[in-house]
Amino acid sequence: EAGVAQSPRYKIIEKRQSVAFWCNPISGHATLYWYQQILGQGPKLLIQFQNNGVVDDSQLPKDRFSAERLKGVDSTLKIQPAKLEDSAVYLCASSFSRSGNTIYFGEGSWLTVV
Amino acid sequence: RKEVEQDPGPFNVPEGATVAFNCTYSNSASQSFFWYRQDCRKEPKLLMSVYSSGNEDGRFTAQLNRASQYISLLIRDSKLSDSATYLCVVTSGNTPLVFGKGTRLSVIA
C-alpha cells in the first residue's frame, strides 16, 4: 500500500518569498493533517481536513499560511510571505477517519528560510 | 502548564538496560493515548497505543495512570536500534492529536 506522498522534500527560500507544499494521502483516508515540526520540538497541528472541509485550523497563521483540499484528496499548503521562523519540517499525515485511528505521516517537506 | 510534557532527555543507556519514560498531560478529558517513535530526520511512526489496562508488545510496555494524568513507556533489554525520539501523543476523542516534544533515547554499545 502506498504511503503518504509529499513534495518537494527540500526547499530553501529567502524570507518574504513564497513556497507551496503538496500532499497526496493514503487512498481512502478521509482525514488529512498538516503539521509543522520545528527542530527539537514535537509536531504542531496547523490544519485538519475531513474530506474537503476544514475541521480545525486554530493554529494556522492565517496571515501568511493557507491550505486547501479542493477535491477531498490532494492538499496544498502555501506560505506567503515566508519568515525565518517558518524554517521547519512540514509533515502531512492522513487517517481513515477523525477519531481513534492511527495517523500515518509522509516523509515531510524540509523548509529552510534564509 | 503545557498540554503534554515530556523529559527531553537525552537518556543514554547501555545495551540490555531497561529504561522508562513518563509523559504528563493536562486535559483530564483526554481519552486516547499513544507513543510514536521518530528516528533522526524521519517521520513519526506509531509505536503503540496506550490502553487503560496497559499494553505490552514484546520488549515495550505502555501504561496509563488517569488519576495522576500520566502515561509511561518501558523498554526492556534495550537494543541499539531503539535509539530514537519517543513522542507522547494525547487526544480527547474528536480533537486533534497533541504531541509532546519527545524524549530522546540513545542506546550505547
Side-chain angles (χ1 to χ4, degrees), chain A residues 37 42 45 56 99 102-103 105-106, chain B residues 36 38 43-44 46 94 96-97 100:
Chain A
Q37 186 173 24
L45 181 71
D56 188 322
S99 63
T102 302
I103 70 170
F105 286 89
Chain B
Y36 274 70
Q38 186 170 27
E43 72 276 20
L46 178 68
N94 282 332
L97 300 180

Side-chain angles (χ1 to χ4, degrees), chain A residues 53-72:
Chain A
V54 175
V55 173
D56 188 322
D57 63 357
S58 57
Q59 297 192 89
L60 186 74
K62 298 180 185 64
D63 57 335
R64 298 183 302 104
F65 286 64
S66 64
E68 58 184 18
R69 193 185 184 198
L70 293 176
K71 296 183 179 179

Side-chain angles (χ1 to χ4, degrees), chain B residues 55-69:
Chain B
N55 189 21
E56 186 171 323
D57 183 4
R59 299 181 292 108
F60 297 81
T61 301
Q63 292 191 316
L64 167 65
N65 184 318
R66 285 192 184 274
S68 300
Q69 293 185 202

Side-chain angles (χ1 to χ4, degrees), chain A residues 10 35 37 40-43 45 48 56 91 98-99 102-103 105-107 110, chain B residues 32 36 38 41-46 87 93-97 99-102:
Chain A
Y10 304 95
Y35 283 86
Q37 186 173 24
Q41 298 185 19
L45 181 71
Q48 177 181 346
D56 188 322
L91 293 160
R98 282 176 64 181
S99 63
T102 302
I103 70 170
F105 286 89
E107 292 183 305
W110 294 69
Chain B
S32 300
Y36 274 70
Q38 186 170 27
R41 301 184 69 84
K42 297 287 189 180
E43 72 276 20
K45 292 183 180 178
L46 178 68
L87 298 163
N94 282 332
T95 59
L97 300 180
F99 284 77
K101 289 188 175 184

